[in-house]
Amino acid sequence: MNAIPRLLMDLALVLGVGTLTGLLFRRLKLPLVLGYVLAGMLVGPHVPVPLVADEHNVKTLADLGVILLMFGVGLEFSPKKLFQAGPTALLMGSIQVGLTAFVGAVVARAFGRTPMESLFIGAALTISSTMVLTKVLEGVPVPRSLRDAALSLTVVHDLFGLLLLTVLAAVAKVGSLEAGTFWSLMLRLGLFLGVVLLLGRMVVPRFLRWMADHASSELLLLACGGLCFSLAVGAAAAGFSLALGAFLAGSLGAESGRVRAIERQVGPLRDLFTAVFFVAVGMMLEPSAWRDHLGLIIGLSMAVVFGNTLGIGAGGLLAGLPFQTSLRTGMVLSQIGEFGYIMLGVGIAAGAVGQELYSVGVAVGVLTAFASPFLVRASGPFSETLEARIPSRFRASLGLYQAWAESLRRRGIRHGEGQELRRPTLLLFLDTVLLLGLVGGGHLLLTRWSEWLANRVDWGHFTAQGFTAALIGLGAGLLVLGMLRQVRVLARDLAVLAPSPEAVGSGRRGRHLLAGGLRMAVLLMVGLPLVAALQPFAPKGPLLGVALVVFLGTLGYQLWKARRLNREVPGVLEWILAKVSDPWAGEGASGTPAHGTLRAIRLGPRCPSLGRRLTDLDLSGRAGVSIVALLRNGQTSVALHPTPVLREGDLLALAGPEHALDEAEALLGMPLDSGKAH
């Protein structure tokens, strides 16, 4: 009898156990990914179960899963989808990625991990799991606005995941944080991407389009597989990751316009080996590492929930989304996904990350995935309670800012207007690159240049290093000030483009609020990822202190300016009293024409919602509007916590898109088009 190849036996074992655990987790209404991880633990060497697969064989099969998984991600990613996600998702994603990476790296350093390991851990925490998110949203009903915001962020996460994976693979290839070698490798990466994308866009989309239209499905599958694995191997041969080449192959395939045809052929194969990949993830888990690193696991899990909730919530507010939608989106996306496992795997393969950290990362992924359904269910009551406790002055400012931001987002930047924005954007980019180079090369300057300076000027080594650190700190401070200057110009030019959402009473003050919020948005969007990227490169001691003082000082200055604007909030309520919609005033009454993104509605004697609690209507969750204020007896602001009961004559001020305001009026008891101008 011929001997059965061990690879076939391992494949049969992995697929069989994975099927059983997958059925169990499906029965329990849990993400299948966790079932595959459990299957890996059962067939792995670290659990005393007599089902042990060869780790090297499964690792080879898992590489196939990574390649096909990233090909699928690239196939679903396109500039069109990124454009549809828009600046709102990009702003939310940038702030969240920077904040979560920074907090995760700080937690890792607090538990004694090296700067290199902290860099990988922080990056691995930033990208949410699309698989877990999809499963959670299937089981927990959420408003459409929340679902759309979360799914648009996954597109941005794919982009950030690829960038982080590419940079981390380059860092792992170098084996250290030496700036000179790192930047030379990044130059090679740029050349590789340029050649592949330039030549690939000329040939691949046309070829795949012809294959999909004229060839058989088998040949289309062979062509896609050949493209996928060829670019993956080419990227690995060039010194980069297999995942990068597979993603590029998928993105080139998406340009063919035959995504559905390709997906039908590649999809089942991708799903099969993606399951094998997660089984391989489970095989690398060491249960003893969970016990030994329990504090680190809990700390990193809290960093994911805190960083994602706060980062996405702040980004959503600065983009003009309602408070509840912003906060709930962050809580919905508080889990880590497959990109994180791939990043840690790259670090382990290069020897940059300890093997035990893979178990830590997967434990964080399992813990946050289990917590996701509970976080989604709790996000509604939590955000509602938190919003009700917002001080009335800040709420009024926030509502006015949201109305102006929605007005700018709805208008967009028209043809020819972008020329005014190019100069500050370009200068901001140049300042950012120079700051990266200055701080990233700080270690080289503090060692080699300080040594040369000490010998040249006959200074002591300590004096030369101190002088060099002072120069670097001075240069970093000047660059940060230059960045702030360009941020201010960019925010001002954007605010000028926004049309006033109301004709009466909110023009100058509302535009000032918008400019201040845009300054904060751009500052956080650029600053947080910059700090997260620079913290492993930054030397210890005085230079790090100077950099942190400069950054926190400038951030505090922006917050101080925003607080000054909040002191003017009593005047913000002018628009509420200036133009009121009164649809339920009495017999024969008709509503004042309502338009724009701000609306004040008087609850007349015929309003069906009189006597109901405001939270029972759930205007924020069901209509997607922000409750700016509730005025009673003419101008007295009513606290929203505990929830008030609506009375005759109350004036309810709302902010949001016009269709959301219409829906809110309908929920209050008014037909959708009543009270509107015809």
Side-chain angles (χ1 to χ4, degrees):
M1 180 178 178
N2 295 329
I4 302 176
R6 181 59 190 267
L7 179 63
L8 295 181
M9 296 176 61
D10 291 335
L11 182 59
L13 181 62
V14 165
L15 295 180
V17 177
T19 300
L20 294 177
T21 55
L23 288 173
L24 174 63
F25 274 65
R26 185 176 183 273
R27 180 78 174 179
L28 297 175
K29 297 183 178 180
L30 294 172
L32 293 179
V33 171
L34 302 182
Y36 301 147
V37 173
L38 176 61
M41 295 179 65
L42 294 177
V43 302
H46 305 295
V47 176
V49 176
L51 297 172
V52 180
D54 184 86
E55 191 171 350
H56 295 289
N57 286 340
V58 178
K59 178 65 171 60
T60 301
L61 295 173
D63 286 338
L64 299 179
V66 170
I67 292 172
L68 292 170
L69 175 64
M70 294 305 299
F71 179 79
V73 172
L75 198 63
E76 296 173 359
F77 180 85
S78 67
K80 181 180 179 181
K81 285 188 176 181
L82 185 62
F83 180 78
Q84 290 174 346
T88 298
L90 186 61
L91 173 62
M92 296 166 72
S94 300
I95 295 176
Q96 173 261 321
V97 167
L99 181 60
T100 304
F102 177 73
V103 174
V106 169
V107 171
R109 291 301 300 273
F111 279 87
R113 311 314 301 192
T114 66
M116 178 72 78
E117 290 176 332
S118 301
L119 180 66
F120 274 85
I121 291 174
L125 301 182
T126 57
I127 309 301
S128 300
S129 173
T130 304
M131 296 181 181
V132 175
L133 174 65
T134 303
K135 183 64 179 178
V136 170
L137 293 182
E138 287 177 358
V140 182
V142 297
R144 182 176 180 83
S145 59
L146 176 59
R147 178 185 295 269
D148 291 343
L151 293 178
S152 66
L153 263 174
T154 60
V155 178
V156 176
H157 274 181
D158 288 341
L159 175 63
F160 278 112
L162 176 67
L163 294 175
L164 288 172
L165 181 61
T166 303
V167 172
L168 290 177
V171 171
K173 185 73 175 179
V174 173
S176 67
L177 297 179
E178 291 289 343
T181 310
F182 172 76
W183 290 116
S184 66
L185 190 59
M186 294 304 294
L187 179 61
R188 285 173 46 204
L189 172 64
L191 293 175
F192 174 77
L193 292 176
V195 171
V196 170
L197 293 178
L198 181 62
L199 297 180
R201 287 175 64 91
M202 295 172 59
V203 178
V204 173
R206 296 179 182 178
F207 174 69
L208 291 182
R209 190 182 304 119
W210 184 89
M211 292 289 292
D213 294 341
H214 300 92
S216 63
S217 58
E218 294 88 347
L219 289 177
L220 177 61
L221 176 60
L222 288 176
C224 292
L227 171 67
C228 174
F229 287 100
S230 297
L231 280 182
V233 172
F240 307 109
S241 66
L242 293 168
L244 173 62
F247 180 90
L248 293 176
S251 63
L252 290 174
E255 295 292 324
S256 67
R258 302 296 186 269
V259 174
R260 291 186 178 180
I262 297 174
E263 177 70 24
R264 281 196 300 268
Q265 303 304 318
V266 180
L269 191 64
R270 179 200 61 201
D271 294 341
L272 174 67
F273 283 100
T274 298
V276 175
F277 164 71
F278 284 105
V279 172
V281 169
M283 290 183 65
M284 297 179 67
L285 290 182
E286 298 182 28
S288 60
W290 294 7
R291 181 186 65 251
D292 298 338
H293 301 281
L294 181 61
L296 179 59
I297 292 171
I298 295 176
L300 293 178
S301 300
M302 294 177 64
V304 172
V305 176
F306 171 79
N308 287 16
T309 301
L310 183 60
I312 294 176
L317 286 177
L318 291 171
L321 295 182
F323 179 87
Q324 290 195 33
T325 301
S326 303
L327 191 64
R328 294 186 69 182
T329 303
M331 297 180 71
V332 166
L333 291 169
S334 292
Q335 72 281 136
I336 68 172
E338 44 278 5
F339 264 112
Y341 305 141
I342 297 174
M343 292 176 195
L344 291 175
V346 168
I348 292 172
V353 176
Q355 178 75 33
E356 72 280 0
L357 287 183
Y358 201 90
S359 298
V360 171
V362 176
V364 173
V366 171
L367 190 59
T368 53
F370 269 114
S372 288
F374 302 101
L375 288 172
V376 174
R377 292 188 182 96
S379 64
F382 176 74
S383 60
E384 183 178 320
T385 301
L386 197 60
E387 185 181 36
R389 294 180 180 273
I390 296 176
S392 58
R393 289 188 173 186
F394 182 76
R395 180 191 299 276
S397 289
L398 186 61
L400 185 58
Y401 173 80
Q402 289 170 349
W404 275 84
E406 171 64 24
S407 179
L408 176 61
R409 184 168 57 245
R410 186 173 57 184
R411 178 190 184 275
I413 300 175
R414 297 172 183 172
H415 180 70
E417 294 176 340
Q419 295 180 357
E420 297 292 331
L421 306 176
R422 289 176 185 172
R423 177 179 171 81
T425 302
L426 178 61
L427 292 176
L428 178 62
F429 174 76
L430 291 176
D431 285 339
T432 303
V433 172
L434 289 174
L435 186 59
L436 277 170
L438 179 64
V439 180
H443 179 72
L444 183 65
L445 292 174
L446 285 172
T447 52
R448 299 183 183 179
W449 194 76
S450 295
E451 183 179 351
W452 175 86
L453 185 64
N455 296 330
R456 186 82 173 182
V457 190
D458 196 23
W459 285 354
H461 181 70
F462 179 78
T463 304
Q465 278 202 328
F467 180 74
T468 304
L471 288 180
I472 295 175
L474 177 62
L478 292 175
L479 287 172
V480 169
L481 289 175
M483 292 171 63
L484 284 175
R485 189 179 303 112
Q486 302 310 321
V487 166
R488 184 170 61 251
V489 173
L490 188 61
R492 181 198 63 198
D493 292 345
L494 283 171
V496 168
L497 297 178
S500 175
E502 281 290 324
V504 180
S506 64
R508 186 172 63 88
R509 186 170 289 109
R511 204 176 298 277
H512 279 308
L513 276 173
L514 179 63
L518 290 175
R519 280 199 301 270
M520 184 65 67
V522 178
L523 181 64
L524 292 177
M525 184 178 178
V526 176
L528 283 175
L530 189 62
V531 171
L534 288 178
Q535 62 89 17
F537 293 93
K540 298 179 181 179
L543 179 59
L544 179 60
V546 169
L548 287 177
V549 166
V550 170
F551 177 75
L552 294 177
T554 53
L555 187 61
Y557 175 70
Q558 295 297 319
L559 290 173
W560 175 73
K561 291 192 70 174
R563 187 175 180 181
R564 285 186 60 192
L565 289 173
N566 284 339
R567 292 173 183 170
E568 302 177 2
V569 167
V572 171
L573 299 179
E574 294 173 1
W575 68 268
I576 299 177
L577 300 173
K579 197 171 186 180
V580 177
S581 175
D582 200 357
W584 300 291
E587 292 290 341
S590 61
T592 304
H595 56 83
T597 54
L598 292 170
R599 192 171 302 179
I601 305 173
R602 189 182 303 280
L603 306 183
R606 303 181 63 195
C607 177
S609 296
L610 296 180
R612 299 178 63 184
R613 296 190 306 172
L614 185 58
T615 52
D616 293 340
L617 296 173
D618 192 18
L619 298 180
S620 298
R622 296 166 64 187
V625 297
S626 295
I627 301 175
V628 178
L630 178 64
L631 301 185
R632 185 164 290 167
N633 299 326
Q635 58 183 3
T636 303
S637 180
V638 179
L640 299 183
H641 183 81
T643 181
V645 176
L646 298 179
R647 300 179 184 175
E648 180 182 344
D650 283 352
L651 195 61
L652 189 61
L654 305 174
E658 190 167 354
H659 67 86
L661 294 172
D662 291 337
E663 187 173 351
E665 285 193 2
L667 291 173
L668 286 167
M670 179 180 178
L672 185 61
D673 294 328
S674 298
K676 302 282 288 182
H678 295 284

